[in-house]
Amino acid sequence: MIMTALRNAEPAPRLVDGFGRDITYLRLSVTDRCDFRCVYCMAEDMQFLPRSAVLSIEEMERLAGVFVSLGIRKIRLTGGEPLVRKGLPELVERLGRLPGLETLAMTTNGARLAPVAQRLRAAGLSQLNISIDSLDAARFHELTRTGVLTDVQAGIAAAVAAGFPRIRLNSVILRGRNEDEVPALVAYAASLGVDLAFIEEMPLGVISEHDRGLAHVSGQELLTMVAAQHVLLPESSQEVGGPARYHRLQGSNTRVGVITPHSQNFCASCNRIRLTAEGRLLLCLGHEHSLDLREPLRAGASDAELAALITATMMRKPERHEFALAGEPQIVRFMNMTGG
Ligand code: SAM
Ligand code: SF4
């Protein structure tokens, strides 16, 4: 009895960086591959990692377990496109059983979601972000280079039907390409009763399609467009450490957020780290600081040894990122390598 009370009183594990920030959120990239080639994310002709370089499902589960034992409470599966990764539903099932993990989330392009939405929900996935940048089939195809709008809409409908507690649509808005769709995207999200986040384009990777300085539409501009048609009620409780600022549409459950890496820096409350598909732990989206975990993992390191490496490297997490508006990207990895 006393032992139980003592055990219950044990403080939860905490992973803390050199600036005193609690690191509780891991974004886990399960593949760098994708069935789309979105113009802001990938080049048309991409070189992907050889399969042997990518962590296996078992390796991902093992590392996720170490992170959770250290204090990670939320994992988001991302990529590349998580749903092109073989074994993804099994990975969700395994992670869903990790004691101490409070939230399991995924970001997807939605194209392959419809057949697996129920299974993922049943396995413990609770939050889904689904990307959709246009509601016009031809334009959607242009922006994604390969995507079929109706597949994604079927995925979104299946997610709603599966009863995920939180679904958010993500739209990257580019000037002159889809900024005119802001009102339609808001109406679409409201009709489904799901949230919507507009994302400013980030300068990751070298792309030839458009000039990023010209394409950039600021979060404030986006909110002004939405406010022209809706009464926006600011939400007081923002996602802890999250970059999105939300407003609720009056008369609706839908919240509209803007994610503004350019115009508003959210580093002070950053609680996140990223693990790439090849097992590289990235400490900040805007810096190259990283720790290779695949090598020690494959060399037979114990959980305790992996945990010690991770804890020590947290001291190197940078205080903030800087993204300039125009010019060359400061970071040469593409978003599919970084994991959104
Ligand atoms: N394939 C999945 C998807 O598209 O949702 C998950 C990975 S994707 C890299 C994650 C998110 O990053 C998507 O919402 C996508 O629109 C966004 N994204 C990709 N490249 C971006 C960029 N350069 N700037 C801003 N957002 C970007
Ligand atoms: Fe694929 Fe997502 Fe990148 Fe589009 S944004 S190319 S769907 S990884």
Side-chain angles (χ1 to χ4, degrees):
M1 188 82 173
I2 293 171
M3 279 307 287
T4 311
L6 279 178
R7 221 176 294 128
N8 287 345
E10 259 176 36
R14 285 179 64 198
L15 189 59
V16 181
D17 77 358
F19 299 93
R21 293 172 296 197
D22 266 300
I23 308 302
T24 56
Y25 181 8
L26 173 71
R27 295 171 81 101
L28 173 57
S29 177
V30 298
T31 177
D32 62 328
R33 290 166 197 253
C34 186
D35 43 356
F36 288 7
R37 295 285 182 278
C38 300
V39 295
Y40 47 76
C41 179
M42 289 197 186
E44 198 149 15
D45 184 21
M46 291 286 289
Q47 278 273 341
F48 293 110
L49 293 167
R51 290 193 199 279
S52 60
V54 174
L55 297 181
S56 67
I57 295 293
E58 291 71 25
E59 288 171 330
M60 286 182 189
E61 180 192 11
R62 168 107 189 273
L63 286 179
V66 173
F67 279 106
V68 172
S69 75
L70 285 171
I72 292 294
R73 301 277 163 265
K74 173 173 178 177
I75 294 180
R76 175 176 299 281
L77 303 175
T78 179
E81 172 48 42
L83 292 174
V84 304
R85 176 69 202 249
K86 221 169 148 229
L88 191 272
E90 289 78 16
L91 179 65
V92 169
E93 279 156 6
R94 292 175 188 211
L95 299 187
R97 291 194 285 267
L98 280 180
L101 184 64
E102 292 164 8
T103 308
L104 186 52
M106 182 170 80
T107 303
T108 172
N109 67 26
R112 299 175 185 217
L113 182 58
V116 288
Q118 287 281 2
R119 181 173 173 194
L120 297 177
R121 176 69 196 108
L125 194 74
S126 60
Q127 296 184 5
L128 261 183
N129 287 356
I130 308 171
S131 303
I132 181 164
D133 301 332
S134 172
L135 294 169
D136 175 88
R139 191 186 273 177
F140 184 87
H141 186 74
E142 242 175 67
L143 284 168
T144 57
R145 293 201 188 100
T146 60
V148 177
L149 176 64
T150 47
D151 291 348
V152 175
Q153 289 180 310
I156 295 170
V160 171
F164 282 89
R166 179 144 183 228
I167 300 174
R168 186 183 88 185
L169 307 182
N170 278 352
S171 304
V172 175
I173 300 297
L174 304 173
R175 192 176 303 288
R177 292 200 82 145
N178 63 346
E179 89 221 83
D180 57 330
E181 290 201 54
V182 167
L185 287 163
V186 172
Y188 179 60
S191 74
L192 295 166
V194 301
D195 292 340
L196 171 65
F198 291 116
I199 307 179
E200 287 181 352
E201 190 194 20
M202 285 181 271
L204 299 176
V206 181
I207 54 164
S208 55
E209 259 267 336
H210 57 265
D211 179 328
R212 288 190 142 134
L214 295 179
H216 174 253
V217 184
S218 78
Q220 192 47 53
E221 221 177 321
L222 289 163
L223 274 184
T224 306
M225 281 187 230
V226 182
Q229 291 180 320
H230 298 270
V231 176
L232 293 181
L233 309 170
E235 284 272 297
S236 50
S237 64
Q238 303 293 349
E239 192 186 334
V240 180
R245 293 175 294 140
Y246 286 104
H247 290 77
R248 191 174 293 279
L249 301 181
Q250 192 175 49
S252 148
N253 283 332
T254 292
R255 301 179 315 153
V256 176
V258 288
I259 298 183
T260 55
H262 280 305
S263 38
Q264 222 189 27
N265 193 291
F266 42 81
C267 302
S269 60
C270 180
N271 62 351
R272 60 193 59 196
I273 47 179
R274 296 173 160 81
L275 187 65
T276 69
E278 56 195 322
R280 204 152 60 96
L281 179 63
L282 300 175
L283 301 172
C284 171
L285 191 56
H287 288 265
E288 296 287 1
H289 299 68
S290 69
L291 168 72
D292 175 27
L293 287 169
R294 187 187 63 195
E295 200 273 326
L297 180 69
R298 292 189 178 170
S302 66
D303 283 5
E305 285 165 340
L306 292 169
L309 283 172
I310 294 167
T311 308
T313 215
M314 280 309 120
M315 292 301 130
R316 294 169 54 224
K317 184 168 161 65
E319 188 174 12
R320 53 186 292 124
H321 70 237
E322 308 282 352
F323 287 133
L325 256 190
E328 290 300 303
Q330 298 91 325
I331 295 294
V332 291
R333 326 175 209 106
F334 281 99
M335 194 64 149
N336 71 308
M337 292 298 298
T338 308

